[in-house]
């Protein structure tokens, strides 16, 4: 059933709920204590060796690293590609690649009893334990192990970036959530990107370019807006961008087929009244 707004607009409940969820995500990124904890985990000396080259640990003030990494030692220096970027944009490129390496992608967790990797998700439930509630788990996946012939393993889908800073595992939702925190901790103006065809990522504002840059931490890629439609073959429909106090429809940035009837039909499948959807988004700003 579609919720009514103060102006009598109607949009599908699922469409509205995901918008509320997007705002909830970015609010979590503004906790100063959490940002400080996250900042202490970012190896600036490895990602930006050009800035730290020649300095000693006594000079450093961003995490107390024991030693500086030389430009030659940093695994994130890529002469064939780095020349395309400068300053903060170059740092973002390296941060995305680093983040991809420290995270663990989980399609199905290993069995907690026998460590089999053949577990299968049989059902989900809501949070029950204090850890699941504290970690703001939206749901908990329950996995069956064929070796044990029993449901042996749970995988909470945490939404708390504080918990994700500890676990560093999940799928695109967890990746985008925690990477958004990393970007904020690094000082970037950051927004959360919600793709209604079941993907999420982040965008960071480039002061040098004067525009937003896509940053997908699952892929370790930045500034590649054609990746989803052209590269993955996704049939896109709605893509929304969230900051602390705004939500914007940025679908046009990620497709060349926006004006086609087929594309617009896909958008109507999500929200039949496109005019009401646009006005609903305006209300949220």
């Amino acid at each position: 059933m579609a919720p009514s707004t103060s102006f009598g607009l109607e949009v599908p409940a699922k469409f509205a709920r995901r918008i509320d969820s997007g705002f909830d995500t970015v609010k979590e990124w503004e906790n100063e204590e959490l940002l400080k904890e996250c900042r202490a985990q970012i190896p600036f000396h490895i990602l930006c060796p050009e800035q730290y080259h020649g300095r000693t640990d006594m000079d450093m003030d961003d995490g107390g690293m024991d030693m500086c990494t030389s430009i030659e030692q940093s695994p994130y220096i890529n002469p064939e590609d780095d020349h395309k970027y400068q300053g903060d944009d170059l740092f973002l490129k390296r941060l995305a690649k680093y983040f991809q390496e420290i995270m663990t992608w989980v399609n199905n967790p290993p069995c907690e009893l026998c460590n089999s990797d053949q577990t299968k998700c049989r059902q989900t439930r809501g949070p029950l334990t204090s850890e699941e509630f504290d970690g703001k788990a939206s749901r908990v996946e329950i996995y069956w192990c064929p070796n044990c012939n029993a449901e042996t393993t749970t995988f909470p889908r945490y939404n708390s970036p504080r918990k994700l800073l500890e676990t560093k595992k999940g799928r695109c939702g967890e990746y985008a959530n925690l990477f958004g925190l990393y970007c904020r901790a690094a000082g970037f103006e950051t927004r959360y990107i919600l793709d209604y065809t079941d993907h999420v990522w982040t965008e960071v504002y480039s002061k040098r370019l004067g525009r937003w840059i896509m940053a997908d931490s699952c892929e370790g890629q930045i500034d590649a807006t054609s990746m989803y439609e052209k590269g993955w073959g996704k049939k896109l429909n709605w893509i929304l961008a969230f900051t602390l106090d705004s939500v914007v429809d940025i679908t046009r940035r990620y497709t060349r087929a926006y004006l086609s009837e087929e594309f617009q039909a896909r958008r109507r499948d999500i929200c039949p009244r496109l005019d009401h959807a646009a006005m609903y988004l305006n209300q949220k700003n």
Side-chain angles (χ1 to χ4, degrees), residues 172-184:
C172 64
E174 290 88 347
Y175 274 60
N177 192 346
L178 186 57
F179 189 65
L181 181 71
Y182 267 72
C183 290
R184 292 292 298 124

Side-chain angles (χ1 to χ4, degrees), residues 235-280:
K235 299 296 185 181
L236 302 171
N237 45 52
W238 288 87
I239 300 177
L240 305 181
F242 296 84
T243 63
L244 196 59
D245 55 7
S246 70
V247 56
V248 182
D249 181 2
I250 60 167
T251 310
R252 288 175 182 264
R253 294 193 60 218
Y254 288 89
T255 179
R256 291 189 173 185
Y258 184 83
L259 295 178
S260 71
E261 178 53 36
E262 178 187 353
F263 197 97
Q264 292 301 309
R266 293 202 298 268
R267 283 169 67 82
R268 289 191 295 271
D269 285 342
I270 301 299
C271 194
R273 290 293 303 272
L274 298 182
D275 54 340
H276 280 209
M279 289 185 281
Y280 184 78

Side-chain angles (χ1 to χ4, degrees), residues 112-146:
E112 294 174 358
L113 297 182
C114 71
N115 206 39
S116 168
D117 62 359
Q118 298 302 308
T119 57
K120 296 182 179 180
C121 185
R122 284 288 184 86
Q123 59 180 316
T124 62
R125 61 165 171 79
L128 294 177
T129 69
S130 58
E131 182 178 25
E132 290 165 358
F133 278 110
D134 291 344
K136 299 183 179 180
S138 57
R139 66 184 185 278
V140 179
E141 299 170 349
I142 302 175
Y143 286 81
W144 176 80
C145 174

Side-chain angles (χ1 to χ4, degrees), residues 21-87:
S21 177
F23 278 117
D24 290 341
T25 296
V26 295
K27 288 176 183 177
E28 294 281 342
W29 298 346
E30 301 306 316
N31 183 307
E32 288 298 330
E33 179 183 349
L34 184 58
L35 288 170
K36 184 176 180 180
E37 292 178 22
C38 183
R39 192 174 301 118
Q41 294 192 22
I42 300 175
F44 290 95
H45 68 304
I46 295 177
L47 300 177
C48 303
E50 299 93 338
Q51 296 183 24
Y52 289 96
H53 187 58
R55 297 171 64 184
T56 69
D57 60 326
M58 297 299 292
D59 299 321
M60 302 182 72
D61 58 4
D62 56 18
M65 305 297 181
D66 292 333
M67 61 183 294
C68 294
T69 300
S70 71
I71 295 177
E72 293 76 15
Q73 290 175 318
S74 175
Y76 302 100
I77 301 295
N78 183 357
E80 295 182 1
D81 196 39
D82 284 356
H83 70 278
K84 301 176 184 176
Y85 308 93
Q86 298 177 29

Side-chain angles (χ1 to χ4, degrees), residues 201-212:
W201 60 91
T202 57
E203 286 187 347
V204 165
Y205 191 76
S206 167
K207 294 181 180 179
R208 183 179 70 86
L209 298 177
R211 61 177 174 84
W212 291 94

